[in-house]
């Protein structure tokens, strides 16, 4: 049994975080030339789309968006009884030479990001890869850090962080759950 | 959900939803084949052994490439160069391979039921790469995948399978696969090459090849297996070509956008005219590419894949 402990972000909170991240991306990269967003399935994908929309509102130009499925790059498949369902990677542009912004909903151990880095590098040689996440909950097991963070949330490893997005879940909010009883 | 069975020995007892899972998993696998670097680390440290008691190039190479693209280690055992030639039986060969730690075994064997026997003997998953005239499930799955990719669906399509049904393991697996996915399967060929009781599979039998092809969405042309034709089941290749070969005239009877398929290798000018084999409706080369993608999906799913759950970040 798990129970909802707290809501970290509501719809407005998510919107503001993404707007701030969009500004930070533009500022750090001195514009959007050669920029591309790649969202990690599943919830990184709609977040990348939303960031691209914000960047277009600010800069007036579109940034290419791709979707990355990292299932085949997981380093724990041999320890799982059943492998997860593989979905498509859809990156309709060459990544070589691009400034790639990798987008995910939550960063935790860092293993998903490690897998995503491997997957992107198999597709080409980007000029730089930066990482944008909506929630950084700590507990890294690998030397990986986020460049853009919507919200830092110190959590216990027993807790779980759930990001719900309209495109997939029909609502926008981020919740912490903890074991109950 | 994942695959419920440890092995894939045939499609006869595989439920439609598991066939759909295999086809859905093959779609992202095909994306990998199109990449410049055709390799993902998924099965790193796993070993796949292909055991071929019959000559085969495309199926064996297809399985080997599928395994290598997923980073598995592969070993091929050909019966002519192994202890099989010294009289070792299938069970003992299987136990030896299992004892060496194979994680998955692919078997091609001239006897129907060999894959089933192997699957019962060893703990590792077994994929049947053709057993006698029984089944060849991975070929049928690549046929299903190719049709679904081109037509966007399988349900309601008319699939004509033409030629030597009697000796064809591909035909049997195709019948199970296509009918389970809601397609109509029509069979036609020389009466001597239509096995008795085949209509019990749900396929429709046509004495006239023209009627079988009429309005078909897919024509799957089977190879005349000259190596299995010692009993004189038809008068000659020339007559076969005239009566049952698919040429441009016969192709016009099918739907205008009908797909032409062939499991290969082709006897050009016998069961298929060269201009049909190389024509715009032919998807024969794509079948070969799709074969690798489907086999990648099978290797992934049978080594434990398919359970849908969220990823820990």
């Amino acid at each position: 049994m798990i129970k909802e402990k707290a809501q970290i972000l509501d719809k407005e909170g998510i919107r503001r975080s993404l707007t701030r991240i969009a500004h930070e991306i533009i500022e750090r990269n001195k514009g959007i030339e050669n920029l591309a967003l790649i969202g990690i399935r599943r919830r990184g994908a709609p977040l990348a789309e939303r960031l691209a929309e914000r960047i277009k509102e600010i800069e007036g130009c579109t940034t290419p968006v791709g979707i990355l499925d990292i299932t085949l790059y997981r380093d724990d498949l041999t320890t799982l009884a059943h492998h997860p369902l593989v979905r498509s990677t859809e990156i309709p542009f060459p990544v070589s030479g691009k400034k790639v912004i990798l987008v995910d909903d939550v960063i935790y151990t860092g293993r998903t990001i490690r897998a995503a880095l491997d997957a992107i590098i198999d597709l080409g040689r980007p000029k730089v890869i930066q990482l944008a996440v909506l929630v950084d909950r700590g507990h890294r097991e690998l030397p990986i850090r986020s460049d853009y963070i919507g919200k830092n949330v110190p959590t216990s490893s027993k807790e779980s962080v759930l990001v719900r997005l309209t495109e997939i879940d029909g609502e926008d909010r981020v919740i912490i759950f903890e074991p109950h009883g | 959900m994942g695959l419920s069975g440890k092995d894939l020995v045939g499609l006869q007892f595989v439920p439609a939803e598991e066939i759909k899972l295999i086809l859905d998993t093959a779609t992202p696998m095909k994306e990998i084949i199109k990449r410049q670097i055709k390799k993902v680390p998924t099965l790193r440290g796993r070993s796949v052994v292909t055991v071929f008691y019959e000559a085969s190039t495309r199926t064996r190479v297809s399985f080997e490439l599928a395994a290598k693209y997923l980073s598995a280690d592969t070993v091929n055992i050909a019966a002519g160069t192994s202890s099989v030639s010294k009289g070792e039986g299938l069970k003992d060969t299987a136990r030896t391979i299992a004892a060496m730690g194979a994680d998955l075994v692919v078997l091609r064997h001239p006897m129907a039921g060999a894959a089933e026997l192997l699957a019962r003997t060893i703990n590792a998953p077994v994929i049947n790469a053709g057993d006698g005239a029984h089944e060849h499930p991975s070929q049928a799955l690549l046929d299903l995948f190719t049709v679904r990719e081109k037509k966007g669906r399988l349900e309601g399509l008319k699939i004509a399978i033409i030629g030597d049904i009697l000796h064809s393991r591909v035909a049997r697996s195709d019948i199970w696969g296509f009918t389970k996915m809601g397609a109509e399967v029509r069979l036609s060929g020389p009466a001597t090459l239509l096995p008795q009781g085949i209509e019990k599979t749900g396929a429709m039998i046509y004495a006239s090849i023209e009627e079988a092809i009429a309005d078909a969405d897919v024509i799957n042309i089977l190879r005349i297996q000259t190596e299995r034709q010692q009993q004189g089941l038809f008068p000659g290749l020339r007559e076969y070509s005239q009566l049952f070969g698919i040429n441009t005239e016969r192709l016009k009877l099918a739907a205008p956008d009908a797909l032409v398929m062939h499991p290969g290798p082709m006897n050009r000018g016998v069961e298929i005219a060269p201009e049909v084999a190389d024509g715009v409706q032919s998807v024969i080369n794509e079948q070969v590419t799709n074969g690798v993608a489907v086999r990648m999906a099978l290797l992934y799913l049978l080594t434990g894949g398919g359970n849908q759950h969220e990823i820990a970040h």
Side-chain angles (χ1 to χ4, degrees):
Chain A
M1 281 287 289
I2 53 169
K3 71 167 185 177
E4 187 176 325
K5 183 183 175 188
Q7 179 166 299
I8 307 164
L9 289 169
D10 59 6
K11 187 179 176 182
E12 275 304 298
I14 292 175
R15 191 186 64 76
R16 283 193 207 102
S17 294
L18 291 176
T19 304
R20 179 173 48 75
I21 289 173
H23 279 286
E24 286 175 6
I25 289 171
I26 296 162
E27 193 177 339
R28 183 187 295 200
N29 294 286
K30 299 180 176 64
I32 59 166
E33 194 186 350
N34 223 13
L35 208 66
L37 294 160
I38 295 180
I40 300 175
R41 281 196 195 274
R42 291 178 70 201
R43 288 173 182 75
L47 288 174
E49 291 284 353
R50 290 190 197 185
L51 276 175
E53 281 170 29
R54 300 290 195 292
I55 290 170
K56 190 181 177 188
E57 284 165 18
I58 301 162
E59 290 288 290
C61 295
T62 54
T63 309
V65 180
I67 301 170
L68 188 68
D69 184 276
I70 55 97
T71 310
L72 296 170
Y73 286 83
R74 288 181 61 143
D75 60 3
D76 57 353
L77 283 175
T78 51
T79 61
L80 297 173
H82 290 284
H83 301 173
L85 201 68
V86 189
R87 296 187 180 89
S88 293
T89 286
E90 295 159 26
I91 299 181
F93 50 83
V95 298
S96 291
K98 283 269 190 315
K99 295 178 188 171
V100 170
I101 313 293
L102 193 58
V103 184
D104 204 2
D105 55 348
V106 181
I107 183 163
Y108 180 33
T109 63
R111 289 177 189 274
T112 295
I113 304 302
R114 184 211 61 83
L117 293 173
D118 281 351
I120 289 176
I121 287 163
D122 272 0
L123 297 172
R125 190 177 187 279
K127 186 172 189 299
V128 63
I129 302 176
Q130 297 165 1
L131 174 62
V133 295
L134 187 60
V135 176
D136 187 336
R137 60 169 295 194
H139 302 284
R140 217 73 82 238
E141 293 171 3
L142 297 169
I144 288 171
R145 63 167 180 80
S146 348
D147 298 284
Y148 311 100
I149 303 164
K151 196 167 180 70
N152 269 304
V153 184
T155 58
S156 138
S157 55
K158 288 177 185 167
E159 295 168 334
S160 53
V161 175
L162 189 67
V163 173
R164 293 179 63 81
L165 298 173
T166 312
E167 295 89 334
I168 294 169
D169 312 295
E171 62 172 352
D172 268 4
R173 63 192 197 117
V174 180
I175 319 128
I176 290 189
F177 285 90
E178 66 177 359
H180 178 59
Chain B
M1 62 162 285
L3 298 183
S4 53
K6 171 178 82 77
D7 316 282
L8 182 70
V9 294
L11 289 188
Q12 186 175 3
F13 302 109
V14 178
E17 60 267 30
E18 292 190 15
I19 292 176
K20 184 176 178 300
L21 173 68
I22 296 165
L23 304 184
D24 289 347
T25 307
T27 304
M29 297 300 182
K30 189 169 179 182
E31 181 261 323
I32 292 164
I33 299 170
K34 290 178 180 169
R35 291 184 192 175
Q36 201 174 1
I37 299 172
K38 302 174 187 62
K39 208 165 186 74
V40 291
T42 317
L43 297 185
R44 195 170 52 200
R46 304 283 185 107
S47 55
V48 173
V49 179
T50 57
V51 187
F52 276 67
Y53 283 75
E54 273 186 339
S56 162
T57 304
R58 74 187 62 215
T59 304
R60 182 177 59 77
V61 172
S62 184
F63 269 110
E64 274 193 42
L65 283 179
K68 285 180 195 293
Y69 291 164
L70 292 173
S71 297
D73 295 311
T74 61
V75 179
N76 173 243
I77 297 169
T81 57
S82 73
S83 290
V84 173
S85 62
K86 299 175 188 168
E88 187 178 68
L90 175 62
K91 273 190 173 180
D92 284 332
T93 304
R95 287 188 185 117
T96 305
I97 294 164
M100 288 179 184
D103 293 301
L104 189 142
V105 179
V106 178
L107 179 73
R108 159 73 60 92
H109 200 281
M111 300 301 290
E116 177 79 41
L117 175 72
L118 183 64
R120 286 186 198 162
T121 309
I122 62 173
N123 290 327
V126 172
I127 299 178
N128 180 9
D131 59 335
H134 176 225
E135 282 224 43
H136 191 356
S138 63
Q139 173 70 40
L141 288 164
L142 77 87
D143 290 345
L144 293 168
F145 182 85
T146 306
V147 173
R148 194 180 76 160
E149 189 181 49
K150 291 286 172 189
K151 298 285 184 187
R153 67 192 164 100
L154 291 168
E155 199 173 0
L157 294 180
K158 301 181 189 79
I159 317 289
I161 302 176
I162 306 298
D164 182 357
I165 312 290
L166 181 66
H167 297 102
S168 177
R169 47 199 173 206
V170 176
R172 276 172 189 74
S173 292
D174 268 346
I175 294 167
W176 297 123
F178 278 112
T179 52
K180 274 182 200 193
M181 301 308 282
E184 173 189 312
V185 176
R186 304 165 170 187
L187 306 176
S188 189
T192 49
L193 295 177
L194 288 168
Q196 280 192 340
I198 192 78
E199 65 281 357
K200 289 175 191 160
T201 58
M204 297 159 75
I205 317 300
Y206 287 78
S208 153
I209 184 175
E210 282 77 14
E211 282 179 31
I213 295 172
D215 300 325
D217 299 293
V218 175
I219 304 178
N220 197 1
I221 304 159
L222 301 176
R223 182 172 71 92
I224 283 298
Q225 302 187 32
T226 46
E227 73 275 21
R228 297 186 212 265
Q229 304 291 350
Q230 308 307 321
Q231 302 157 35
L233 294 169
F234 59 89
L237 295 179
R238 185 179 164 82
E239 189 171 331
Y240 181 90
S241 173
Q242 286 170 351
L243 292 173
F244 295 99
I246 305 296
N247 50 33
T248 44
E249 284 306 305
R250 287 210 169 102
L251 184 57
K252 285 177 189 163
L253 299 169
D257 58 349
L259 304 178
V260 171
M261 303 175 80
H262 191 298
M266 288 182 278
N267 297 304
R268 284 173 179 264
V270 181
E271 70 264 6
I272 187 167
E275 57 271 23
V276 174
D278 302 326
V280 291
Q281 289 170 253
S282 168
V283 292
I284 295 167
N285 285 333
E286 283 178 80
Q287 284 177 271
V288 178
T289 305
N290 292 341
V292 180
V294 163
R295 286 163 182 135
M296 287 169 77
L298 288 174
L299 296 178
Y300 174 76
L301 292 167
L302 285 171
T303 52
N307 191 29
Q308 188 172 3
H309 60 256
E310 294 295 315
I311 292 165
H313 302 267

